[in-house]
């Protein structure tokens, strides 16, 4: 028998109440959690009960026990790693995704979510200034977006040299030369490892982490054969952008596939004030981003864009007799991503873009950038503080004298709980790293966070 609405209503009603209470707590609660995972393991663990428990009671128990261990990541004062919040329309749409319970893999089986995905994909291409003919896939995050784009690149460059990867595999294949900036993000190495391509050849970077074009030209000229070049749209520490257009021109001279890791920075293309950071990015072959970061949709939602649809579909597509497919027409969602079974993660993207519109997306990007500059100005004015990067987008790195002093200030800031700014190490120095990624951050959050850093620096 099909489940009845009354089977779900009590648990969902309790979940809504707990959700609203959580959201209501965000403006005032300390950002740091009050409990650690070791302590909570005993709270959630123990023997599995012998019998069933009422669903609403389970929801209450879950929310009550988890609350002390939750970090206020959706807070406007959370600036750790690169983690966005969730726009209201995107959060509500994500609830619908769970309720609809559609396996977003075939156009035939789930026409509504397939149509939504195609619409969202078209909007993404338009906003980011990418080729309208490109394929778009919705994956779990930037790591898998990088993996998917690089998989298409692997397929393409080996085919150029006459190697049938699908039949022969990698054993005995021409070695693929992968070049990447010395300050690339670790997930690129991770994706290359998954793909069996090994570590990339590092190309020297400048003092902001941008790949040096002179060094790139030398490295490209040093070898031959299948080549993939990985570029960066937004350095994790400085926010700096590689000169993508110029790098693509160099790569084209050597027949290289160009992949752009734009986990958070690709969205700069959607705003007039920051679009110049990505000049020439449309000349690349594949691009990766994470919609949970700058666009502020719920986890998990990465986006991969590939200009060469045949390479992507050859690398990712699944063929089986039981998969009901149209003879012609647009590709199925499963042709563009690694997964066959997956949630309809494009739906919150559609909802976020529909709620913001073109001007709203531009305002979001420009507002995040403006708050980053305000945080840099405020922190930089504190005695003993130095801003280590040119603030061009949403990232800020600061030091407070020597490494020991910087670590001390960072520890005091996190213990205070007003704001969360993760520590890191960049160019041989310990730094306090700030990433402005949340749509809800406002001027008051910036002021309160700067004041918290000032208190931490004063000791």
């Amino acid at each position: 028998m099909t489940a009845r609405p009354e089977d779900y209503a009590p648990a969902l009603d309790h979940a809504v109440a707990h959700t609203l209470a959580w959201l209501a707590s965000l403006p005032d609660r300390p950002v740091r959690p009050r409990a650690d995972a070791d302590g909570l393991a005993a709270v959630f663990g123990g023997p599995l009960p012998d019998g069933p428990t009422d669903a609403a009671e389970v929801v209450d128990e879950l929310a009550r026990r988890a609350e002390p261990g939750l970090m206020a990541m959706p807070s406007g004062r959370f600036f750790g790693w690169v983690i966005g919040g969730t726009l209201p329309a995107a959060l509500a749409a994500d609830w619908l995704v769970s309720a609809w319970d559609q396996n977003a893999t075939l156009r035939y089986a789930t026409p509504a979510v397939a149509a939504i995905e195609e619409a969202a994909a078209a909007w993404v291409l338009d906003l980011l200034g990418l080729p309208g003919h490109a394929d778009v896939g919705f994956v779990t995050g930037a790591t898998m977006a990088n993996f998917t784009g690089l998989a298409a690149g692997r397929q393409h460059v080996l085919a150029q040299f006459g190697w049938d990867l699908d039949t022969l595999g990698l054993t005995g294949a021409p070695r693929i030369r992968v070049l990447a900036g010395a300050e690339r993000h670790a997930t690129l190495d991770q994706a290359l490892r998954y793909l069996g391509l090994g570590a990339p050849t590092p190309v020297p970077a400048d003092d902001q982490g941008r790949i040096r074009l002179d060094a790139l030209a030398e490295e490209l000229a040093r070898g031959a054969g299948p080549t993939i070049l990985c570029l960066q749209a937004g350095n994790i520490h400085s926010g700096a952008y590689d000169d993508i257009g110029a790098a693509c021109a160099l790569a084209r001279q050597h027949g290289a596939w160009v992949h752009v890791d734009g986990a958070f920075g690709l969205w700069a293309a959607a705003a007039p004030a920051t679009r110049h950071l990505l000049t020439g990015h449309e000349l690349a072959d594949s691009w990766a981003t994470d919609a949970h970061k700058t666009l502020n949709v719920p986890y998990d939602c990465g986006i991969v864009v590939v200009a060469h649809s045949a390479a992507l579909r050859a690398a990712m597509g699944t063929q089986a007799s039981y998969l009901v497919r149209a003879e012609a027409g647009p590709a199925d969602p499963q042709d563009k991503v690694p997964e066959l079974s997956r949630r309809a993660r494009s739906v919150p993207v559609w909802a976020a873009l529909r709620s913001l519109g073109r001007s709203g997306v531009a305002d979001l990007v420009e507002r995040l950038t403006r708050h980053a500059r305000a945080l840099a100005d405020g922190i930089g004015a504190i005695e003993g503080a130095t801003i280590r990067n040119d603030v061009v987008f949403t990232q800020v790195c600061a030091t407070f004298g020597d490494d020991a002093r910087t670590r001390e200030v960072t520890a005091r800031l996190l213990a205070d709980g007003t704001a969360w700014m993760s520590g890191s190490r960049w160019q041989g120095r310990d730094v306090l790293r700030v990433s402005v990624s949340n749509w809800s951050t406002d001027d008051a959050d910036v002021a309160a966070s700067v004041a918290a850093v000032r208190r931490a620096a004063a000791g």
Side-chain angles (χ1 to χ4, degrees):
M1 182 180 70
T2 300
R4 299 163 299 182
E6 55 266 31
D7 294 330
Y8 291 96
L12 290 174
D13 288 343
H14 284 234
V16 168
H18 288 296
T19 298
L20 294 176
W22 162 251
L23 295 173
S25 76
L26 292 174
D28 301 314
R29 72 182 293 130
V31 178
R32 55 174 168 72
R34 304 193 310 277
D36 61 25
D38 290 340
L40 289 170
V43 174
F44 284 102
L48 180 66
D50 290 332
T53 304
D54 176 74
E57 183 180 337
V58 170
V59 170
D60 290 341
E61 184 180 295
L62 175 65
R64 183 180 66 255
R65 293 183 182 183
E67 199 277 339
L70 298 176
M71 182 180 284
M73 287 182 175
S75 166
R77 291 170 282 106
F78 181 85
F79 306 106
W81 302 287
V82 188
I83 293 177
T86 303
L87 290 160
L91 173 59
D94 198 57
W95 286 11
L96 286 176
V97 168
S98 293
W100 291 342
D101 197 23
Q102 304 287 286
N103 182 4
T105 187
L106 294 171
R107 299 179 89 247
Y108 171 84
T110 56
V113 297
I116 291 167
E117 180 159 314
E118 290 163 13
W123 288 349
V124 167
L125 294 176
D126 180 31
L127 284 168
L128 299 183
L130 297 177
H133 66 269
D135 266 355
V136 180
F138 293 85
V139 293
T140 54
T143 300
M144 290 311 295
N146 281 325
F147 169 87
T148 305
L150 291 167
R154 181 183 66 174
Q155 193 89 17
H156 182 83
V157 298
L158 286 178
Q160 283 184 316
F161 280 78
W163 187 263
D164 184 351
L165 179 64
D166 292 343
T167 302
L168 302 174
L170 284 174
T171 303
R175 179 167 178 80
I176 297 176
R177 186 173 55 137
V178 182
L179 309 180
E183 287 206 15
R184 65 196 177 275
H185 194 273
T187 56
L188 272 175
D189 293 65
Q190 188 177 16
L192 291 168
R193 189 168 71 247
Y194 292 166
L195 290 165
L197 298 180
T201 299
V203 181
D206 66 14
D207 63 352
Q208 294 297 306
R210 296 172 294 230
I211 198 168
R212 281 176 36 201
L213 294 176
D214 59 335
L216 174 60
E218 291 177 7
E219 198 60 57
L220 283 166
R222 190 169 286 133
T227 303
I228 295 174
L229 170 62
C230 300
L231 298 175
Q232 186 169 229
N235 180 279
I236 194 68
H237 288 101
S238 69
Y241 288 67
D242 291 340
D243 188 339
I244 298 175
C248 283
L250 290 172
R252 287 290 175 268
Q253 298 173 21
H254 298 268
W257 177 285
V258 180
H259 174 76
V260 178
D261 175 14
F264 63 91
L266 200 60
W267 291 94
T274 53
R275 194 169 292 140
H276 66 281
L277 297 169
L278 283 153
T279 299
H281 74 300
E282 71 280 0
L283 301 174
D285 299 289
S286 57
W287 305 260
T289 191
D290 190 338
H292 181 72
K293 300 184 189 303
T294 307
L295 186 60
N296 280 241
V297 306
Y299 284 112
D300 52 12
C301 190
I303 301 174
V304 60
V305 179
V306 178
H308 308 274
S309 59
L312 177 63
R313 297 175 195 183
M316 293 293 125
T318 301
Q319 305 297 324
S321 61
Y322 68 89
L323 298 175
V324 182
R325 310 174 65 146
E327 292 295 326
D332 283 301
Q334 64 95 16
D335 290 319
K336 309 169 192 178
V337 297
E339 308 133 312
L340 191 58
S341 296
R342 65 183 179 94
R343 67 188 280 106
R345 57 177 66 97
S346 60
V347 174
V349 173
W350 183 93
L353 296 177
R354 180 67 177 83
S355 68
L356 291 171
R358 186 182 303 277
S359 63
V361 174
D363 179 68
L364 170 62
V365 171
E366 293 174 0
R367 190 168 69 249
L368 296 176
T369 306
R370 185 172 67 251
H371 288 321
R373 290 175 180 152
L375 282 161
D377 290 343
I379 294 170
I382 297 170
E383 184 177 357
T386 301
I387 302 301
R388 311 300 305 189
N389 64 305
D390 300 331
V391 183
V392 298
F393 196 47
T394 57
Q395 310 300 296
V396 181
C397 280
T399 55
F400 299 84
D402 60 20
D403 285 353
R405 170 74 173 151
T406 298
R407 289 194 299 269
E408 181 184 355
V409 171
T410 302
R412 282 203 292 261
L413 173 68
L414 299 185
D416 175 88
T418 299
W420 185 280
M421 301 173 183
S422 50
S424 188
R425 191 163 180 83
W426 183 46
Q427 297 191 338
R429 299 289 305 273
D430 282 350
V431 294
L432 176 68
R433 186 177 154 275
V434 184
S435 178
V436 186
S437 307
N438 195 309
W439 71 276
S440 68
T441 298
D442 59 18
D443 293 340
D445 289 321
V446 170
S449 300
V450 170
V453 177
R454 186 177 293 111
R455 290 194 300 273

